[in-house]
Amino acid sequence: MFYEGTVYRPPSEAYSLIIQLTIGCARNNCTFCSMYKDKSFRIRPVDEVLQDFNYIKERSGQPVKRIFLADGDALIVKTADLLQVLKAAKTIFPECERITIYGAPADVLAKSVEELRSLQQAGLEMVYIGAESGDDQVLLDVQKGASAAEIIEACLRLKAAGIKVSLTLISGLGGQKRLREHAVNSAKLVSAIKPEYVGLLTLMLHEGTPLAEAIAEGSFTLLTPQEVLEETYLFLSEADSEGTVLRSNHASNYVTLAGTLNADRQRLLAQLEEARRRGSFRPEGYRGF
């Protein structure tokens, strides 16, 4: 068993068995992202993936409680092949409690509710959706390849199939020009979906990306730490998603937040206000992926 290139996973999958079902990202167009630029997208043969499962089973004496299927857009794999992988995972690792995967909105919309339900019944518990923003102009600017309406439709389709949704947003993605629109429309997106989980990352500059070039030429201005907190405060004030678990504890974040919407709204807003008052932010040198 081997991993091809750098492997990325959500923070909550730190202790999961990570298996590359795909290599790279099928779209790989987002202007802010440098994650999969060193890879050419391909789908691994199912037999290779099953060999990885058996390799771990034979050589590891540890129980496998969680499995994360990487790389980006792994949900793009044909439903029949995904079912084969899921069923094999459950057979080889009967102790496995959770299987999760990355999926782009287009990957979800390419499958019917019935197909998604069959994946859920085979063991797929949750899909990580990188929404990034709920503002259509921001989504267009960063070449996300999906509108807010399409993201909502995809997430509601997953929920209709019984699959949990973990939604990711990126603070600061609208820059100074669209701070308010990015915050308010992202709150509307979350309110419409009511996902089980929302994760807030904070935009970071990656050299060589189109967004880095836009910053260098002055057409995009990064938010200051104070402005990121202002945007987050506005988002939390507007979001109506009772029961959604919110985490802003990624290494990119200036301030760590953890709570549940809507119950913890006032506590989270107070925490942001205190951080703004004190100017207590994670130093730039400690932010990273």
Side-chain angles (χ1 to χ4, degrees):
M1 176 180 176
F2 70 97
Y3 291 115
E4 186 172 328
T6 304
V7 178
Y8 299 92
R9 49 95 183 149
S12 58
E13 302 295 339
Y15 301 103
S16 300
L17 169 63
I18 301 176
I19 297 291
Q20 286 178 297
L21 181 56
T22 61
I23 304 298
C25 176
R27 282 109 188 147
N28 215 11
N29 293 322
C30 295
T31 63
F32 57 86
C33 182
S34 63
M35 285 170 58
Y36 300 109
K37 302 304 182 185
D38 61 339
K39 303 180 186 183
S40 296
F41 179 78
R42 65 183 175 87
I43 297 172
R44 295 182 68 203
V46 171
D47 287 348
E48 280 189 15
V49 176
L50 302 192
Q51 287 173 16
D52 284 352
F53 285 155
N54 286 311
Y55 181 92
I56 293 296
K57 181 69 173 180
E58 293 168 2
R59 288 165 175 79
S60 174
Q62 301 297 317
V64 174
K65 298 287 189 178
R66 293 185 173 189
I67 296 173
F68 174 68
L69 299 174
D71 274 336
D73 290 359
L75 195 66
I76 200 172
V77 173
K78 292 180 180 178
T79 300
D81 290 343
L82 272 171
L83 286 171
Q84 190 176 348
V85 169
L86 291 167
K87 290 174 182 177
K90 285 295 200 176
T91 299
I92 296 169
F93 305 106
E95 72 277 15
C96 183
E97 299 171 351
R98 187 175 93 166
I99 303 175
T100 58
I101 195 170
Y102 274 139
D107 300 334
V108 179
L109 295 177
K111 300 184 189 300
S112 66
V113 172
E114 290 72 24
E115 287 180 280
L116 293 168
R117 187 173 290 117
S118 70
L119 295 174
Q120 187 273 335
Q121 292 170 349
L124 183 61
E125 179 172 324
M126 183 164 69
V127 174
Y128 292 92
I129 298 285
E132 328 307 3
S133 178
D135 182 64
D136 278 331
Q137 186 59 55
V138 172
L139 291 168
L140 185 64
D141 290 344
V142 302
Q143 299 179 26
K144 182 63 189 176
S147 66
E150 288 168 332
I151 295 170
I152 292 169
E153 182 184 353
C155 292
L156 293 181
R157 187 173 298 189
L158 287 170
K159 295 186 68 169
I163 297 173
K164 295 177 182 177
V165 174
S166 182
L167 198 72
T168 300
L169 299 167
I170 301 179
S171 299
L173 194 59
Q176 289 184 344
K177 288 182 180 178
R178 296 197 70 81
L179 183 156
R180 180 175 182 82
E181 291 86 352
H182 175 53
V184 171
N185 290 327
S186 293
K188 289 179 180 178
L189 184 87
V190 170
S191 300
I193 297 168
K194 293 181 169 51
E196 282 74 17
Y197 300 92
V198 168
L200 297 181
L201 309 183
T202 300
L203 182 64
M204 297 191 66
L205 175 63
H206 294 280
E207 296 298 332
T209 60
L211 186 59
E213 296 172 4
I215 292 169
E217 69 184 21
S219 60
F220 185 97
T221 305
L222 287 169
L223 300 188
T224 65
Q226 289 279 2
E227 288 170 330
V228 169
L229 265 63
E230 175 188 342
E231 181 187 270
T232 306
Y233 192 99
L234 183 55
F235 165 77
L236 288 174
S237 298
E238 296 285 333
D240 179 12
S241 188
E242 186 66 40
T244 294
V245 175
L246 179 136
R247 294 290 183 266
S248 179
N249 57 358
H250 189 263
S252 65
N253 297 130
Y254 286 112
V255 174
T256 297
L257 299 174
T260 301
L261 302 175
N262 297 330
D264 295 328
R265 186 200 315 274
Q266 295 308 314
R267 175 179 62 79
L268 294 170
L269 292 176
Q271 186 177 343
L272 285 171
E273 190 60 45
E274 179 68 8
R276 284 198 296 183
R277 186 181 67 80
R278 290 175 172 268
S280 53
F281 313 119
R282 176 177 282 135
E284 288 294 338
Y286 288 89
R287 295 175 67 228
F289 284 99

